[in-house]
Amino acid sequence: MMLVLLVLVMLLTVTTYFYMKRPQFGALPEGKRWESIQKSPHFKEGRFRNLVEMPVIAEGYSMPGEIFKTLFKKFPNREPVDSLPSVKTDLRNAPRDSDMIVWFGHSSFFLQLDGVRFLVDPVFSGKASPLPGGVKAYKGSDVYTAADMPDIDYMLLSHDHYDHLDFETAVALKDRVKFVICGLGAGAHYEKWGYRPEQIIEKDWYDQQEIKPGFTIFTESTHHDSGRGFTRGQSLWLSFYIRSPRGSVYYSGDGGYDGRFQEIFRKHGAPDWAIMECGQYNEAWHSVHELPEEVAKATEELHAGNLLTVHHSKFTLANHPWNEPLEKISAYSQNKPYRLVTPMIGEPVRLHDHAQQFEQWWKKIQ
């Protein structure tokens, strides 16, 4: 029996080793990239660190307990039965002077601002896991493909988790993207996948990238993690503040609530738009994923004019009902100084049209 177990463990180890050599797992930084990482004040003791270290699992919970609940406890309505509604917008022929956001479900979105085209955390492969039988997109949520995208000036990456950095999508877009802006270390993935070094711009927190006069991308902190294999924290996770003569947009990336939103407001002023993570959360791990009430609080602290929530309505990565993020943020946003917008997947959000109306489309879906 012991010999059989030993053989099984060895087979599993060898299989795992070779499976993780597949290109979708990306690459760890090395050489000059590794040397540059080690100079960052946020890289300590062999990995990137959050500004204030907090346990991923909150007091009163345990990782084995949460895994047990997920595997053996029944959680209702974790994914929709119906197909989600969507709008198919012709982005390839959209006029460059139309300032808009088009959300593709979860955290993927297209932003066109002052003639510059951004694509953020694009995932068009229909999955959020490299494993066979892993997390798949909801019916109706995956209507856009890489082929639907226009030429992109800047592809922004918040962090390298699979639900934000998709191998198939990145490879399909590499000849149509001028530049990628990502955290220190994450460029190793893109380079492994065929991107030219001159396409890749890696940033630390509190860096900036000038697009043109008066148009700047600022890379800000968030409280999260990174990693596509067993080694964690080898690339940096980011949020982005985009300021142009025609308006400003803040994208939170993934991350738990902390005091950074007040600081971002003090540094950059109130964004016209806040695009905030709101979904795939749990009280047990709210240190790395904000709860809806924390999203509302953070948006107020940013003094944002408008709120668009992301990180929901495409993949089930937590145990809450699939539509709960939209239900809760709608309730928490009542009588707030910001405007909440709730577009369907693919529905253009016109940045300067404050009278544009949106349905509570999720209420019609089972």
Side-chain angles (χ1 to χ4, degrees):
M1 180 64 72
M2 289 298 294
L3 181 60
V4 170
L5 287 174
L6 181 60
V7 170
L8 289 174
V9 169
M10 289 178 64
L11 283 173
L12 180 61
T13 301
V14 170
T15 301
T16 301
Y17 174 80
F18 282 106
Y19 188 82
M20 293 191 68
K21 292 294 184 182
R22 292 162 65 93
Q24 58 260 51
F25 289 94
L28 293 173
E30 56 185 23
K32 291 183 178 179
R33 179 172 281 116
W34 178 249
E35 293 173 8
S36 176
I37 284 171
Q38 290 179 303
K39 296 175 184 176
S40 169
H42 310 113
F43 191 87
K44 302 171 185 176
E45 299 176 354
R47 59 158 294 157
F48 284 105
R49 304 281 174 175
N50 286 303
L51 294 176
V52 178
E53 289 296 325
M54 293 185 285
V56 172
I57 299 297
E59 186 177 352
Y61 299 89
S62 71
M63 184 63 78
E66 294 308 305
I67 293 172
F68 181 86
K69 289 177 191 176
T70 299
L71 292 176
F72 299 109
K73 185 177 178 180
K74 181 71 173 178
F75 292 93
N77 200 29
R78 290 182 72 210
E79 61 182 65
V81 175
D82 299 336
S83 180
L84 298 191
S86 65
V87 175
K88 197 66 181 287
T89 300
D90 183 3
L91 296 174
R92 294 178 70 92
N93 292 306
R96 281 262 184 179
D97 61 355
S98 56
D99 293 345
M100 63 177 173
I101 299 167
V102 177
W103 171 61
F104 304 118
H106 202 63
S107 291
S108 305
F109 63 93
F110 171 82
L111 168 66
Q112 188 164 268
L113 181 62
D114 200 7
V116 180
R117 287 172 170 166
F118 300 91
L119 186 60
V120 184
D121 289 356
V123 177
F124 297 130
S125 69
K127 59 182 186 293
S129 168
L131 301 177
V135 179
K136 299 293 192 298
Y138 302 154
K139 290 182 294 184
S141 70
D142 210 37
V143 296
Y144 284 84
T145 70
D148 294 319
M149 297 301 107
D151 290 343
I152 299 298
D153 298 304
Y154 291 89
M155 189 157 69
L156 307 184
L157 176 71
S158 64
H159 64 296
D160 70 357
H161 287 161
Y162 295 98
D163 57 322
H164 294 258
L165 176 56
D166 181 55
F167 164 68
E168 288 89 344
T169 302
V171 169
L173 289 170
K174 69 182 175 66
D175 296 325
R176 305 227 315 276
V177 171
K178 289 182 183 177
F179 299 103
V180 174
I181 299 182
C182 58
L184 291 173
H189 303 307
Y190 291 101
E191 204 163 326
K192 181 180 179 68
W193 298 337
Y195 283 68
R196 303 182 310 278
E198 57 268 25
Q199 282 180 279
I200 304 166
I201 303 169
E202 294 179 64
K203 293 293 187 181
D204 204 339
W205 293 336
Y206 320 130
D207 278 347
Q208 62 188 66
Q209 180 71 30
E210 186 176 11
I211 305 302
K212 56 186 179 180
F215 199 142
T216 305
I217 301 173
F218 300 91
T219 52
E220 290 290 336
S221 72
T222 182
H223 188 102
H224 201 55
D225 201 355
S226 67
R228 296 174 74 82
F230 297 119
T231 306
R232 316 300 293 176
Q234 302 302 290
S235 64
L236 189 59
W237 43 99
L238 303 175
S239 64
F240 297 93
Y241 194 107
I242 302 169
R243 181 194 294 152
S244 87
R246 290 176 60 87
S248 54
V249 177
Y250 173 73
Y251 170 48
S252 69
D254 282 8
Y257 176 83
D258 61 17
R260 66 185 179 277
F261 303 103
Q262 297 177 59
E263 180 62 24
I264 288 168
F265 167 69
R266 284 193 290 267
K267 287 171 63 177
H268 302 297
D272 298 310
W273 286 86
I275 302 175
M276 303 287 284
E277 175 203 24
C278 183
Q280 319 319 313
Y281 49 76
N282 190 312
E283 288 279 358
W285 62 75
H286 73 99
S287 67
V288 290
H289 287 288
E290 288 183 316
L291 303 173
E293 55 266 40
E294 293 173 321
V295 174
K297 182 179 180 182
T299 304
E300 284 196 89
E301 291 177 348
L302 286 165
H303 296 265
N306 303 273
L307 169 63
L308 168 65
T309 62
V310 298
H311 213 248
H312 57 76
S313 303
K314 189 166 188 174
F315 302 118
T316 294
L317 300 172
N319 293 328
H320 59 68
W322 76 270
N323 54 357
E324 183 183 279
L326 287 164
E327 284 290 317
K328 285 198 167 184
I329 196 60
S330 295
Y332 286 121
S333 296
Q334 293 290 322
N335 303 314
K336 296 293 186 182
Y338 60 81
R339 178 179 69 131
L340 173 69
V341 303
T342 57
M344 289 184 285
I345 289 171
E347 182 179 5
V349 177
R350 299 185 295 272
L351 298 189
H352 310 301
D353 183 358
H354 302 300
Q356 185 179 6
Q357 299 293 312
F358 299 92
E359 294 182 54
Q360 292 189 322
W361 57 266
W362 62 94
K363 291 186 177 292
K364 303 176 183 178
I365 307 300
Q366 292 188 348

